[in-house]
Amino acid sequence: MKVRILVTGATGYIGRACVRAFAAAGWTVRAASRAGDSVEGAAEGVAIGALSGQTDWTDALCGVDVVLHLAGVAHRPQTEDRTYRDVNVDGTAQLARSAVRAGVLRFVFLSSISVHGRRPGGGRIDEATPLAAEDAYGRSKANAERAVADAAAGERMTWTVVRPPLVYGPAAPGNFRRLVGLVRRGVPLPLRGAKAPRSYIGLDNLVSALICAATHPAAANRAFVVADDEDVGTADLIRLISDAMGRPARLWWIPEHLLRVVAAVVGRGGAAERLLDPLQVDCRQIMDALGWQPPLGLREGVRRAVLLK
C-alpha cells in the first residue's frame, strides 16, 4: 500500500519539488495550499485557506500517514512579529495538534538554520549549537519547532525537524536569484572581498534530506541541520554562477565595513550579513544517523540552478 503524505506549501518553490519527488518515489501525495491549486505529481489538491491557529485541517489530514510542513512566512521586509507568530508558530501548532488527532505517524517540519542565530566569529553550527535566533523569523521557527514537539509528546506521532541554510536552485527566490540576475546582466559587483565561508544547500539535496527525514526510523523525534558538501564565500559563489553561464565574474573590491554601512543606510543590513558573514553547517549527524549524503556537489548544483528553468 502506498504511503500517503500531506505536503503543505505545495505550490511554493520547495513544495513543488517535494511533491514531484515524493510522487516519483511512489508516494500518494496530497498537496495543500491556500486555494487548493493543482500541483504536478499530486494525486489531489486541497484548499486550507490562510495558515493560522484556527485553520481546519480535518479534510486535508483524512487518511494521511506523514505530514511534510513547508508552508509559512519567510524573510519578508516589514513583516510584523505578530504575522510570524500567527502563521509560523500558531499555524504550525494547530497543524501538529490536528495531525495527532488524525492518527498521522510522522510529522516533518522544515525549519531554518536561522534558529541558531549568527556566528560572526566563525565556528560550525550543528545540532548541539544553542538556539539563539536574532530576528522575528528565526524566533518564530524555533517556537514552531517546540510547538511540534509539544504536540507529539507522549503520542504515537513522531516528528523530525530539518534546518537548512540558504536554498538555491532553478528560479530560487531571494539572494541567490538576485545574484544570478546581476551576473547575467553583467553588473559589476563589489564583493571580491566576500570570502567568509558559507554553507548552502541545493534544492535537490534538500528534497533528498526531507525524503530521508520522512522515511528513516532513526529520524524520529530529532532535529537535523543539512547543507551541501562544500562551503564557499560569496565571491566564489558568484564565480561558480559566472562559470556556469560562461560569463566573466565582474567582481571588484571595496572595504567590507563600507559595504555594511551602505547596506544599513539603505535598509539592507540583513542582506549584507547573509553575503558577508561566515555561516558554516556541520551536518555529520544526519549523515551518520540516517546515512544521508547530498546527491549533488556544489558546482553541479549551481550549474543546474543557473541553466535549468
Side-chain angles (χ1 to χ4, degrees), residues 235-271:
D236 282 335
L237 179 64
I238 292 169
R239 292 185 180 99
L240 288 175
I241 293 170
S242 301
D243 288 347
M245 291 182 181
R247 294 174 177 267
R250 303 188 66 186
L251 291 164
W252 54 287
W253 184 87
I254 64 173
E256 182 179 307
H257 72 275
L258 183 57
L259 273 177
R260 293 181 186 273
V261 169
V262 172
V265 168
V266 299
R268 301 291 293 175

Side-chain angles (χ1 to χ4, degrees), residues 85-280:
R85 184 178 66 251
D86 290 347
V87 176
N88 290 356
V89 184
D90 295 345
T92 299
Q94 170 72 351
L95 174 56
R97 291 190 297 264
S98 300
V100 168
R101 291 193 294 269
V104 169
L105 300 178
R106 174 68 59 86
F107 191 106
V108 180
F109 175 54
L110 182 64
S111 185
S112 168
I113 205 68
S114 297
V115 301
H116 294 291
R118 294 180 301 140
R119 305 196 74 181
R124 290 187 176 273
I125 293 172
D126 63 15
E127 291 78 4
T129 303
L131 302 187
E134 298 176 340
D135 59 16
Y137 170 70
R139 288 189 293 271
S140 73
K141 283 294 192 179
N143 288 332
E145 289 185 17
R146 285 189 282 268
V148 171
D150 288 346
E155 303 290 347
R156 185 184 180 196
M157 184 179 81
T158 62
W159 55 268
T160 308
V161 167
V162 176
R163 300 170 182 156
L166 182 147
V167 182
Y168 66 88
N175 273 348
F176 186 80
R177 179 163 60 186
R178 282 189 283 273
L179 286 177
V180 170
L182 291 168
V183 172
R184 183 169 281 124
R185 294 195 299 273
V187 177
L189 299 171
L191 294 169
R192 178 176 290 176
K195 297 180 179 180
R198 296 185 63 84
S199 295
Y200 304 92
I201 189 165
L203 180 60
D204 290 333
N205 291 343
L206 176 59
V207 171
S208 169
L210 290 170
I211 291 176
C212 201
T215 57
H216 203 294
N221 301 331
R222 297 180 70 173
F224 296 101
V225 298
V226 294
D228 283 350
D229 60 358
E230 182 181 354
D231 301 336
V232 294
T234 299
D236 282 335
L237 179 64
I238 292 169
R239 292 185 180 99
L240 288 175
I241 293 170
S242 301
D243 288 347
M245 291 182 181
R247 294 174 177 267
R250 303 188 66 186
L251 291 164
W252 54 287
W253 184 87
I254 64 173
E256 182 179 307
H257 72 275
L258 183 57
L259 273 177
R260 293 181 186 273
V261 169
V262 172
V265 168
V266 299
R268 301 291 293 175
E273 290 172 359
R274 290 189 286 274
L275 291 171
L276 299 172
D277 286 350
L279 191 156
Q280 292 183 276

